[in-house]
Amino acid sequence: MRFAIVKSAAELGERAFYEIKCVLKAKPDAVIGFATGRTPLPLYEKMAADHAKNGTSYKRVTAINLDEYVGVEAKDKNSFARFMKDNLFSKIDIDPANTNIPNGMAEDLEAECVRYAKFVAEHPADIQILGIGANGHIAFNEPYTKYDTTTHIALLTAKTRSDNAEGFGSPAAVPSYALTMGIKEILSAKKILMLASGEGKAEAIYNMLQGRDDTSCPAAALRSHPDVTVVLDEAAAKYLAFDEWAKIARTAESAAPAAPVTAEKEPPAAPVAPAKEEEAAAPAEETAPVAEVAEVAEDGAPAEDKPEETVEETVEEAPVEETAPAEDEKVYLEAEIIEDDEAEEESAPIVIEEPTRGKKKKGRKNKTLSGV
Ligand code: PGA
């Protein structure tokens, strides 16, 4: 699981769009799983702006949405169908015939679930965009939903109805039921792009990563997926030892030369997952660059409850090849959770990769953060 920490909504949109762009570049007829809610709006704004400016085409894309309220008509301002049309589909060149969302007005809702599940099974997403509920839900899979679910009728929790009340006027006016893709179907996507912003999501993000090993936080199901990128702001990353990450980022930034350069992604001294294929294959200007790698010991406690951490540092020199950064290159703080066969889930290391700007490699530093 890879984490990119961003500083603003605009950066969240840009960093998330980078993932979509990579998928589209490799596969112009990609299946993209879309999510609704406030969180993906900066991404959809970026997609619309990019389409207008650069003409990125979605003509061959198939869109599959996660969920829809039961009893809300598609044309209703509160329907997810309308949300997608207003916020994205009407602003790009996607063929409306290629957009798909469960029909919450279907007479036979069970049959609609079966139909949608079949469609999803026949069109596995190349990338699935996800938000996360404050209670850890993904789509409308509420806490304690079983991981093997496919599209089903979900009973919404009071928390979800209250969180989604804007637009309906009051929590009581929010439908009690929704049709939602199941966790099993979400996990069938080749890549998952999870977005989160705001302090209200911090606990859910923490539970997704380090919470109990049960179904209390549905997003924890993503731990078993091999290709998850989480793009989140500092507030949502609050419990992820972000202070330590930020400290390393600042050190790296202040140490960076005037014309910033970056390290080519290569395995650090600490155990690290192999570089993602698409990153290895992507042209230099589209590669999310990585300069620093750090490992944080997981001890199951939120960062703020942890004792002070120590930083051990080793430096390996590598050839330096400088180049000017591309205009739109950004600095993000990135982290990757490493699947380590020898480590139990509780003790699996979190490897933090912290990119800097530029395209060519420079000397790299490996830093290990370890709890005391
Ligand atoms: P939000 O919803 O983006 O509006 O916070 C996310 C979700 O509930 O999945």
Side-chain angles (χ1 to χ4, degrees):
M1 197 178 278
R2 164 178 289 270
F3 285 76
I5 318 271
V6 296
K7 292 190 173 70
S8 65
E11 274 196 11
L12 182 134
E14 283 166 19
R15 181 60 184 81
F17 180 61
Y18 164 78
E19 299 294 328
I20 301 289
K21 207 164 60 168
C22 287
V23 168
L24 278 177
K25 195 158 194 160
K27 195 175 173 195
D29 60 346
V31 175
I32 302 181
F34 285 98
T36 52
R38 283 153 293 217
T39 319
L41 283 174
L43 167 62
Y44 298 160
E45 277 162 25
K46 176 72 189 172
M47 287 170 76
D50 165 80
H51 173 70
K53 186 174 169 209
N54 303 318
T56 302
S57 180
Y58 298 83
K59 274 200 177 107
R60 295 170 61 197
V61 163
T62 297
I64 305 189
N65 262 80
L66 287 167
D67 44 19
E68 179 61 281
Y69 289 118
V70 166
V72 178
E73 287 194 45
K75 64 176 191 303
D76 189 296
K77 69 175 175 39
N78 287 312
S79 79
F80 288 163
R82 174 83 180 270
F83 174 98
M84 290 310 301
K85 189 172 171 221
D86 290 355
N87 291 294
L88 183 65
F89 295 157
S90 64
K91 299 176 177 178
I92 56 176
D93 63 348
I94 196 163
D95 182 346
N98 293 341
T99 64
N100 301 274
I101 193 158
N103 178 8
M105 293 297 288
E107 251 175 55
D108 184 342
L109 292 171
E110 293 286 0
E112 172 62 4
C113 289
V114 171
R115 180 195 74 81
Y116 206 70
K118 184 166 179 287
F119 187 82
V120 171
E122 288 166 356
H123 300 81
D126 292 290
I127 185 163
Q128 175 66 58
I129 301 160
L130 280 184
I132 186 170
N135 64 3
H137 74 207
I138 45 175
F140 275 132
N141 293 284
E142 299 282 36
Y144 303 106
T145 303
K146 293 195 168 57
Y147 285 1
D148 62 358
T149 49
T150 53
T151 304
H152 61 283
I153 305 169
L155 175 63
L156 306 187
T157 62
K159 171 72 178 148
T160 294
R161 292 175 73 207
S162 136
D163 286 349
N164 290 12
E166 194 188 329
F168 286 96
S170 73
V174 177
S176 302
Y177 292 95
L179 302 188
T180 183
M181 221 186 258
I183 293 176
K184 185 177 172 191
E185 290 162 326
I186 291 171
L187 293 179
S188 73
K190 292 185 189 109
K191 290 172 79 71
I192 290 182
L193 175 60
M194 155 74 79
L195 310 177
S197 53
E199 202 174 335
K201 302 295 173 68
E203 196 177 331
I205 289 290
Y206 175 80
N207 285 334
M208 169 180 83
L209 186 59
Q210 289 174 300
R212 290 207 302 263
D213 195 13
D214 60 17
T215 53
S216 57
C217 176
L222 303 184
R223 290 177 200 165
S224 67
H225 194 283
D227 191 351
V228 180
T229 299
V230 185
V231 181
L232 71 177
D233 65 10
E234 296 184 11
K238 183 176 156 186
Y239 296 126
L240 300 185
F242 183 69
D243 284 352
E244 288 298 336
W245 300 10
K247 215 185 294 168
I248 299 168
R250 279 196 296 274
T251 310
E253 280 186 62
S254 60
V261 294
T262 189
E264 205 171 64
K265 193 166 184 178
E266 57 191 43
V272 65
K276 303 272 183 297
E277 273 169 34
E278 71 281 7
E279 286 170 352
E285 70 270 16
E286 292 200 13
T287 303
V290 176
E292 303 276 337
V293 179
E295 182 186 339
V296 177
E298 275 188 74
D299 59 9
E304 59 189 24
D305 295 333
K306 286 181 183 173
E308 210 176 278
E309 292 179 323
T310 55
V311 177
E312 299 158 17
E313 188 175 312
T314 58
V315 179
E316 295 165 17
E317 290 306 324
V320 175
E321 216 180 307
E322 295 198 4
T323 184
E327 257 187 10
D328 60 350
E329 283 182 346
K330 302 283 181 196
V331 176
Y332 302 105
L333 188 58
E334 309 244 345
E336 186 153 1
I337 309 306
I338 300 309
E339 291 295 329
D340 183 348
D341 288 347
E342 305 203 345
E344 289 305 316
E345 207 173 286
E346 292 75 32
S347 58
I350 301 172
V351 173
I352 299 172
E353 299 173 346
E354 173 203 313
T356 182
R357 295 151 292 196
K359 295 174 189 162
K360 301 289 167 89
K361 65 184 175 183
K362 67 164 185 175
R364 68 179 300 140
K365 283 181 182 175
N366 292 333
K367 292 183 180 179
T368 302
L369 300 183
S370 50
V372 243

